[in-house]
């Protein structure tokens, strides 16, 4: 049985919007602006390890397209090992509009998202990693399909912006499973969703 693992980067006040600054959100670009180079190197090692232990990627359309355009040769900005692993993993893109995915090993889930993801969890044995994909994350939370949240907290408060748990109507209990410091500025927290 697969485990849906949401891996998210957020500011100290929970903002997940526009970490790379390419969406035009005023305070966007916080991913690189507010963290020392050493912290990003330590984060890269952490991220590489996370991907190495995943069995599949589950992405919304926009996040799928964002990653797909960056996983080729000179466009890779994180590490070649991370990109190679991302390229080799089976990928599942949740979209009603994506018709001809160009990224290798991609299956488009274009029906009932909750039903198809439930089936995916039954088929895949291991971690199904979700990066970005905040609309998809909200569906996963609403349908109680997420099993774990891995949150990397960046040391900045923006005061505005879209947050990971915006528009979540229900109380969502979680249990802190692990926390550790990455470099001198980042905190990595692992939470388990408590269902039932």
């Amino acid at each position: 049985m697969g485990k849906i693992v949401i891996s998210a980067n957020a500011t100290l006040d929970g903002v997940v919007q526009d970490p790379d600054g390419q969406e035009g959100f005023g305070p966007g670009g916080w991913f690189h602006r507010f963290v020392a180079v050493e912290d990003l190197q330590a984060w890269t090692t952490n991220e590489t390890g996370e991907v190495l232990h995943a069995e599949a990627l589950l992405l919304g359309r926009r996040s799928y397209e964002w990653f797909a355009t960056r996983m080729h040769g000179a466009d890779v900005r994180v590490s070649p090992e991370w990109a190679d692993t991302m390229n080799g993993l089976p990928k599942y893109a949740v979209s009603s509009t994506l018709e001809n995915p160009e990224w290798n090993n991609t299956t488009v889930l274009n029906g009932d998202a909750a039903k198809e993801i439930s089936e995916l969890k039954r088929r895949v044995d291991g971690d199904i990693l979700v990066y970005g994909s905040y609309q998809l994350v909200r569906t996963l939370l609403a349908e109680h399909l997420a099993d774990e949240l891995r949150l990397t907290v960046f040391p900045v408060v923006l005061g505005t912006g879209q947050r990971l748990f915006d528009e979540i109507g229900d109380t969502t209990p979680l249990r802190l499973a692990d926390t550790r410091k990455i470099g001198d500025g980042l905190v990595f927290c692992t939470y388990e969703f408590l269902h039932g």
Side-chain angles (χ1 to χ4, degrees):
M1 180 95 172
K3 178 171 75 169
I4 302 281
V5 176
I6 298 166
S7 182
N9 302 314
T11 64
L12 196 56
D13 56 341
V15 175
V16 294
Q17 185 176 1
D18 200 10
D20 66 357
Q22 295 189 9
E23 296 174 26
F25 171 57
W30 49 266
F31 184 94
H32 293 285
R33 262 195 352 233
F34 299 105
V35 179
V37 172
E38 308 81 57
D39 295 334
L40 288 175
Q41 290 169 340
W43 178 87
T44 299
T45 302
N46 186 66
E47 281 294 296
T48 301
E50 182 176 61
V51 169
L52 291 175
H53 294 91
E55 294 298 321
L57 294 174
L58 176 64
L59 302 165
R61 183 192 54 82
R62 287 177 56 200
S63 292
Y64 171 86
E65 290 174 346
W66 188 92
F67 280 108
T69 62
R70 287 162 174 80
M71 292 298 114
H72 305 289
D75 290 340
V76 176
R77 295 182 182 143
V78 178
S79 81
E81 181 183 23
W82 187 77
D84 289 346
T85 304
M86 290 279 284
N87 284 326
L89 283 171
K91 290 164 271 299
Y92 298 89
V94 178
S95 174
S96 60
T97 58
L98 183 63
E99 293 182 6
N100 297 307
E102 295 181 16
W103 199 6
N104 65 316
N105 302 329
T106 297
T107 301
V108 177
L109 306 179
N110 60 5
D112 180 322
K115 183 178 176 183
E116 291 192 80
I117 293 168
S118 293
E119 179 56 34
L120 178 64
K121 283 181 73 168
R122 284 191 283 280
R123 285 195 324 262
V124 173
D125 187 23
D127 289 355
I128 303 166
L129 198 54
V130 179
Y131 281 137
S133 308
Y134 301 116
Q135 282 185 295
L136 172 59
V137 166
R138 290 185 181 106
T139 299
L140 295 171
L141 296 175
E143 299 293 334
H144 306 288
L145 291 169
D147 299 295
E148 189 172 288
L149 170 64
R150 297 177 187 162
L151 187 64
T152 303
V153 181
F154 284 65
V156 61
V157 173
L158 298 183
T160 185
Q162 191 175 34
R163 290 168 170 74
L164 183 63
F165 294 109
D166 282 350
E167 301 174 28
I168 301 298
D170 297 331
T171 299
T172 305
L174 297 100
R175 182 184 77 78
L176 180 63
D178 186 35
T179 184
R180 66 179 183 269
K181 189 175 169 184
I182 301 175
D184 287 329
L186 304 176
V187 178
F188 183 76
C189 304
T190 302
Y191 295 92
E192 296 170 349
F193 288 95
L194 303 176
H195 302 294

